[in-house]
Every structure is written in C-alpha cells, then in structure tokens.
Amino acid sequence: MTTPLRRRIGVPAVALAVAGALSTLPAAQSAAAAPPAEFTPVTASYGGGQHGASVVEGQILSYNDFHGAIDPPTGSGAVVNAGGTSTPAGGVEYLATYLKKLRAEAKSEGRATITAGAGDLIGASPLVSAAFHDEPTIELMNTIGLQVSSVGNHEFDEGVDELIRIQRGGCHPVDGCQDGDPYRGAKFSYLAANTIDNKTGLPILPPVEIKYVKGVPVGFIGLTLEGTAGIVNPAGIKNVHFTDEIVTANKWSNILRSFGVKAQVLLLHEGGSQGSATPTPGVSDCVNFSGPVVDIVKGLNPEIGLVVSGHTHRFYSCKVPDRTGQDTVVTSAGTNGQLITDIDYSLSKRTGRFTEITAKNVIVENGVPDGNGGWKKDAAGVYLKNPDTVDAAARKVADKYRVAVAPLANKVIGNISGDIARTNTAAGESPLGDVIADAQLAYTTGSGAQIALMNPGGIRADLDADQSSGGEAYGQVTYGEAFTVQPFNNLVTTEPLTGAQLKSVLEQQFAGYAGQTTTKILQVSAGFTYTWSASAALGSRVSNLALNGTPIDPAATYQVTINNFLANGGDGFSNLVVDPAKVVTAPGFDIDALTAYLGRGTVAPGPANRISTTS
C-alpha cells in the first residue's frame, strides 16, 4: 500500500479523443501552514505500487456549477459558510489566481495539472454572461485553462444546437457576434456520454477523453444526470434522450479498459450533500453524506476511482464504495467558482491503475484580511475585494464584457423595501416566489389571467436591498440584479385550465404522482390559496383551493399564467401541457414581467402565506 500523497503530479497531459505560486495570496492558504481540520483531505489507497520508479503521480483541479459567475457573488451568497466560519469567495479573476497558484506549486515539484469541470459551467447565468449567450464564460474558461468537462442540465438551457455551437464556435444564429469579434468556441472538451441523438443513437458530443501522465493513460467519462429532460425546456432537447448514469458510465468504462485505460475519472453532473451539523461541516468534510451520487457510485466499475460531481451546489470530499466494495473518491466544489477541488493521485506503471487518490477543497478567497481572523468591510457592510489577488488576464477578459453590459445591467428599474428571499416556508412558499408570481399575473391581466404559477427552480437568487452593483442606493434594484434572479428569458404564457385540471397540476407537485420524480412546490399569485397534506395519498394531497376566498369550481375554467418552460411540461408538469392553440403568449420575457412590476412602486417581500400545509 502506498504512503499518503503530499502534493505531487506527473508531466503535462496530452489530450486524446476516443469514438508561480502567488505570494500575495493569504497566508492561510500557504502549503507550509498546517490546515484546519475542515481542510483535511480524504484519501483512498488501492495498493499496486510504491512511490518512486514504479508509479507516476498526478493532480486534477476541478470545479462545477460555475453558472457564468464572472463577478464575485453578492448578498448572502458572497461567502462560503463552512466549519463555523464565513469566508468571502468567488469571482473569475480570483478563481484564475488560485488555479495558477495550485498549478505553480505542482510545477515547482515537476508535476503538471489536469483541470476539469462537472457541468453547469453556463446557464442560469448573470447578465454579464447571459447577455452574450454565455460566450464570455466560455472565453474565460479558455483563459483560466479548463481542459475537459461534462455537460450539465443547464448546458441545455438554449437547446442542443446552441450547446454544439458553444463547443465548436461560430456567431449566434440570431444575435450574431455581439462583442464585435468572432466566437471561436471552447478550447476544452465537453463530454456527453449519456446525451444520445435519437436519430443516430450516438452521443451528441464525445463521451470520453484520454489524457496521459508520463505515458500512463487516464480516461475521463462525462455525464449529465439522467433526469435532465425533466428540468430543462423540452423544446430544446426534443431530438435527444438521456440514458442511465450507471449503465452509461460502465459501458464507456469497459471500452476504455479495452483500450488499456484502467485509471478512470467520471465527471458527473449529479451529486449529494452533507448532513446538517454544528458547526457547519467543513468544505472537505463528509458528514452523513447522502444523495443520488451514492447509489450511482455503488454500481460503478472499480476502474472509476474518482467521481467529480456537481448539480447539488454542495461541497464535500467523500469515499463511497463501488460495486465491488472498493472506495471511490467523490468530490464537489460547491458552486459559482468559490471552491476548487485539489486532487492528487498516483498511478502504477505496471497495472495502469490508481494506487492512491487524495482530495480536498480549497476556498477561492477574494476578501481583504482584517488581521484578526476576519475580513474587512466597507461602510455598508459589504466585504472589500482584494486587488492583490486578482489575475490580470482573467480580469481583462471579464472587464471587456462588464463594460459592454454595464449600461443595461446598472440601469435602476425599481425599488424594494427590504431583502426579498427565495427561502421557502415549511409549505414550500417563498417571499420572492410570491413577488414573481404576482409580477407575471400583473403582466398578463390583459389576457384575462386570474392565477399565476411559478416554478421554484427558475428563481436563482435573492433580491438584496443593500446590493449596489452599479453604485445605486439601498433598496434600488438594477436590471442586472433582477436578471440574476430570473436569467432564463422564458416566455410568459396564459392558458385555460378547469378547476379540476388546476387541482391535478397541484397534485403533480409531489413525487410519485403522474410521472413526477421530485417534489416541487409551485409559487402562486395573490388571491389564490390552497392546503396540502404530506400524509395524504398521492392524488389527494391538495385541498381547499380558493380564488379570492371563493372555492375553486372543478367545472369552471380559469386563465392561468405560467412560463413556457412549464407550458412545455418542464419540471415534470405534464398536466400543464394543453392545446397550443389555446395558449396566449405575452410580448417579451419573464424578466420583463418582473422589471415592470418592480417599476410600479416600492415592492415589499411577499407574505408567504398563500400555501398552507398539514401533517
């Protein structure tokens, strides 16, 4: 059995398809400092070689769920809360700095690095990226040295054809090359082993990639979650289907093994989460770990020694048994580029297999230390950003797009009286969900709309009264801030539903009913109320439906506003799909509904009392 890895890796990797440490970084991140317990790596040892001539050593740096987070996160998302502490983190120019630091440490010891992602690099993005169809994020991923990534569900937000363009390059078919220069595509490889073209029966993008470390091959398999079809707009994926994660991973694992590739990494856009604890688990902990990734790993081939996961936006470094009972290292770096997973591994020259894998998460700090273990803030209580840890090359690219989008992003479009959060009550309702549903109802009253329903997954951020993206006053909301909340540019549609159909839609919120796979509580507009019971039988959980105090009549028809994601059956709501001829589409997008509503006067948080629940 090998001894624990320190910080080592092999020589530079060479891609092959199949089918200066920065002295200005905070001292707490120095390799010489003893790490707190929360940063203790997870290690899996497999035997098969001793350090020295019989093994080669490598490093993988990974991250996931970047979501176009070019700017440092703000508000409640500005910090990483872990191990009982809060650390301001994120922003692409800081992510680039930490990647360079970790690579430089490896290079100083004669090692090279493979940089990998686990999907959702784009989609659900802030305006600085989304306004240019996420080309800025891809350009920045090229700049900071990403080499390979799985696709995630949000890579399909604009459909399969757009994802292919994002990979290969070329101007947008409608908007052209908005920034004035050609879009050359991703220099890294997107892998999509389980996204299958219905006509050809083949993956739409390469399923695997091989990279070499001192002549020993390491295979990468890339998957999104099998359930992707249920959480993206069906219109954009009508010509593809998504296959089972275990079956697909093992299929390509077997193919790689037949080519002599016996050290394999699964880049998987599906994950898990740590359980609650006090203090909050550390970024590299594995406290009461659970989630879909656990059962997936239990079915994997033993050659897959490492699973870089995502989707859940949680951080962890774990060991999970595969189908043979052997430990597989499973990692996730949270979201928004606030963490990097630093993975060391060794390979046997004789067998080509992993002999040891060690992983830990590193926080991408962007703050200014106050000298007392905390972080400096300005007069408004916002964390100051550290100019000494900015990567100049990444900032140059980011600033090009920041300047281009600033006139639109910094335009004040309305006011709020205080923070409006997307945190749900026990009944599944949030103050921000109320506001968005009210906005869409107000936007469609001309179509006779009486009720509006909003999918909770389409609400991507809180509205923070003290956020000042463009120097605006407390409570003022800019277009860019509103767009961060609703970044999908969904259409707003109104359709007729009988009271009985409306009840069936609400029953379909619960996993196990009418094909629904996960419970999702729709947000509702003012005047509409109902109660649901968790203990009632599926199909009979919803009761007391009323509009402005009058019980809903099962035989009457009501005009219901939803976005086109839901109208197409997104999030498993097949009961919302009606005759297209009966659907009225409002001008503009859902973001236009929200901005119009915020511009009507100071908006207060929704009451979050329209949905009630009983045991």
Short mmCIF file of all heavy atoms in Angstrom, two decimals, residues 208-231:
data_model
loop_
_atom_site.label_atom_id
_atom_site.label_comp_id
_atom_site.label_asym_id
_atom_site.label_seq_id
_atom_site.Cartn_x
_atom_site.Cartn_y
_atom_site.Cartn_z
N VAL A 208 -15.95 10.40 -24.06
CA VAL A 208 -14.77 10.21 -23.21
C VAL A 208 -13.59 10.98 -23.78
O VAL A 208 -13.60 11.41 -24.94
CB VAL A 208 -14.38 8.72 -23.10
CG1 VAL A 208 -15.49 7.91 -22.47
CG2 VAL A 208 -14.01 8.14 -24.46
N GLU A 209 -12.59 11.15 -22.95
CA GLU A 209 -11.32 11.72 -23.39
C GLU A 209 -10.21 11.05 -22.58
O GLU A 209 -10.38 10.75 -21.40
CB GLU A 209 -11.29 13.23 -23.19
CG GLU A 209 -10.02 13.88 -23.70
CD GLU A 209 -10.20 15.37 -23.99
OE1 GLU A 209 -11.10 15.70 -24.78
OE2 GLU A 209 -9.47 16.19 -23.40
N ILE A 210 -9.08 10.82 -23.25
CA ILE A 210 -7.92 10.22 -22.59
C ILE A 210 -6.82 11.27 -22.48
O ILE A 210 -6.53 11.98 -23.45
CB ILE A 210 -7.39 9.01 -23.37
CG1 ILE A 210 -8.47 7.93 -23.50
CG2 ILE A 210 -6.17 8.42 -22.68
CD1 ILE A 210 -8.10 6.80 -24.42
N LYS A 211 -6.23 11.35 -21.32
CA LYS A 211 -5.06 12.19 -21.12
C LYS A 211 -3.95 11.32 -20.54
O LYS A 211 -4.23 10.34 -19.83
CB LYS A 211 -5.39 13.37 -20.20
CG LYS A 211 -6.41 14.32 -20.83
CD LYS A 211 -6.66 15.53 -19.99
CE LYS A 211 -7.67 16.48 -20.66
NZ LYS A 211 -7.16 17.05 -21.92
N TYR A 212 -2.70 11.66 -20.85
CA TYR A 212 -1.57 10.83 -20.45
C TYR A 212 -0.73 11.53 -19.39
O TYR A 212 -0.47 12.74 -19.49
CB TYR A 212 -0.71 10.50 -21.67
CG TYR A 212 -1.33 9.45 -22.55
CD1 TYR A 212 -2.23 9.80 -23.55
CD2 TYR A 212 -1.06 8.10 -22.36
CE1 TYR A 212 -2.82 8.85 -24.35
CE2 TYR A 212 -1.64 7.13 -23.15
CZ TYR A 212 -2.52 7.50 -24.15
OH TYR A 212 -3.11 6.55 -24.93
N VAL A 213 -0.33 10.78 -18.41
CA VAL A 213 0.58 11.26 -17.37
C VAL A 213 1.81 10.36 -17.39
O VAL A 213 1.74 9.20 -17.00
CB VAL A 213 -0.10 11.22 -15.99
CG1 VAL A 213 0.85 11.72 -14.91
CG2 VAL A 213 -1.39 12.03 -16.00
N LYS A 214 2.92 10.90 -17.92
CA LYS A 214 4.17 10.13 -18.07
C LYS A 214 3.92 8.80 -18.77
O LYS A 214 4.41 7.75 -18.37
CB LYS A 214 4.85 9.90 -16.73
CG LYS A 214 5.59 11.11 -16.21
CD LYS A 214 6.47 10.74 -15.02
CE LYS A 214 7.30 11.94 -14.58
NZ LYS A 214 8.18 11.61 -13.43
N GLY A 215 3.11 8.86 -19.80
CA GLY A 215 2.83 7.69 -20.61
C GLY A 215 1.73 6.80 -20.11
O GLY A 215 1.32 5.86 -20.80
N VAL A 216 1.22 7.04 -18.89
CA VAL A 216 0.13 6.23 -18.35
C VAL A 216 -1.20 6.95 -18.66
O VAL A 216 -1.37 8.10 -18.30
CB VAL A 216 0.29 6.03 -16.84
CG1 VAL A 216 -0.87 5.18 -16.29
CG2 VAL A 216 1.63 5.37 -16.52
N PRO A 217 -2.15 6.26 -19.30
CA PRO A 217 -3.39 6.93 -19.67
C PRO A 217 -4.36 7.07 -18.51
O PRO A 217 -4.49 6.17 -17.67
CB PRO A 217 -3.96 6.00 -20.74
CG PRO A 217 -3.44 4.65 -20.39
CD PRO A 217 -2.06 4.88 -19.80
N VAL A 218 -5.06 8.20 -18.48
CA VAL A 218 -6.15 8.45 -17.55
C VAL A 218 -7.38 8.79 -18.39
O VAL A 218 -7.34 9.73 -19.19
CB VAL A 218 -5.83 9.59 -16.57
CG1 VAL A 218 -7.03 9.85 -15.64
CG2 VAL A 218 -4.59 9.27 -15.76
N GLY A 219 -8.44 8.04 -18.23
CA GLY A 219 -9.64 8.25 -19.02
C GLY A 219 -10.68 9.07 -18.28
O GLY A 219 -10.92 8.85 -17.08
N PHE A 220 -11.31 9.99 -18.99
CA PHE A 220 -12.38 10.82 -18.43
C PHE A 220 -13.68 10.48 -19.15
O PHE A 220 -13.74 10.48 -20.38
CB PHE A 220 -12.07 12.31 -18.59
CG PHE A 220 -10.95 12.79 -17.71
CD1 PHE A 220 -9.63 12.58 -18.07
CD2 PHE A 220 -11.22 13.45 -16.52
CE1 PHE A 220 -8.58 13.02 -17.26
CE2 PHE A 220 -10.19 13.89 -15.70
CZ PHE A 220 -8.87 13.68 -16.07
N ILE A 221 -14.72 10.21 -18.38
CA ILE A 221 -16.06 9.96 -18.89
C ILE A 221 -16.94 11.10 -18.41
O ILE A 221 -16.89 11.47 -17.23
CB ILE A 221 -16.62 8.62 -18.36
CG1 ILE A 221 -15.66 7.47 -18.65
CG2 ILE A 221 -18.01 8.34 -18.95
CD1 ILE A 221 -15.97 6.20 -17.87
N GLY A 222 -17.76 11.69 -19.29
CA GLY A 222 -18.59 12.82 -18.89
C GLY A 222 -20.07 12.54 -19.04
O GLY A 222 -20.53 12.10 -20.11
N LEU A 223 -20.85 12.77 -17.97
CA LEU A 223 -22.29 12.52 -17.96
C LEU A 223 -23.04 13.67 -17.32
O LEU A 223 -22.55 14.30 -16.37
CB LEU A 223 -22.63 11.28 -17.14
CG LEU A 223 -21.98 9.93 -17.44
CD1 LEU A 223 -22.44 8.93 -16.39
CD2 LEU A 223 -22.35 9.46 -18.81
N THR A 224 -24.23 13.95 -17.81
CA THR A 224 -25.19 14.74 -17.05
C THR A 224 -26.16 13.77 -16.36
O THR A 224 -26.12 12.56 -16.61
CB THR A 224 -25.97 15.71 -17.95
OG1 THR A 224 -26.79 16.56 -17.13
CG2 THR A 224 -26.85 14.98 -18.95
N LEU A 225 -26.99 14.27 -15.47
CA LEU A 225 -27.93 13.39 -14.79
C LEU A 225 -28.98 12.87 -15.75
O LEU A 225 -29.40 13.56 -16.68
CB LEU A 225 -28.58 14.09 -13.61
CG LEU A 225 -29.57 15.23 -13.86
CD1 LEU A 225 -30.52 15.37 -12.69
CD2 LEU A 225 -28.84 16.55 -14.11
N GLU A 226 -29.40 11.64 -15.54
CA GLU A 226 -30.41 11.03 -16.40
C GLU A 226 -31.69 11.87 -16.41
O GLU A 226 -32.41 11.92 -17.41
CB GLU A 226 -30.72 9.61 -15.93
CG GLU A 226 -31.73 8.88 -16.81
CD GLU A 226 -32.10 7.51 -16.28
OE1 GLU A 226 -31.66 7.16 -15.17
OE2 GLU A 226 -32.84 6.79 -16.98
N GLY A 227 -31.99 12.54 -15.31
CA GLY A 227 -33.22 13.33 -15.20
C GLY A 227 -33.16 14.69 -15.86
O GLY A 227 -34.06 15.51 -15.64
N THR A 228 -32.15 14.95 -16.67
CA THR A 228 -32.03 16.27 -17.30
C THR A 228 -33.27 16.66 -18.08
O THR A 228 -33.70 17.83 -18.07
CB THR A 228 -30.79 16.30 -18.23
OG1 THR A 228 -29.61 16.24 -17.41
CG2 THR A 228 -30.74 17.56 -19.07
N ALA A 229 -33.89 15.70 -18.77
CA ALA A 229 -35.05 16.02 -19.60
C ALA A 229 -36.19 16.65 -18.80
O ALA A 229 -36.97 17.44 -19.35
CB ALA A 229 -35.54 14.76 -20.31
N GLY A 230 -36.28 16.32 -17.52
CA GLY A 230 -37.37 16.84 -16.70
C GLY A 230 -37.13 18.21 -16.13
O GLY A 230 -38.04 18.80 -15.54
N ILE A 231 -35.91 18.76 -16.30
CA ILE A 231 -35.59 20.04 -15.66
C ILE A 231 -35.06 21.08 -16.64
O ILE A 231 -34.54 22.11 -16.21
CB ILE A 231 -34.61 19.85 -14.49
CG1 ILE A 231 -33.37 19.06 -14.92
CG2 ILE A 231 -35.29 19.17 -13.32
CD1 ILE A 231 -32.33 18.92 -13.82
#
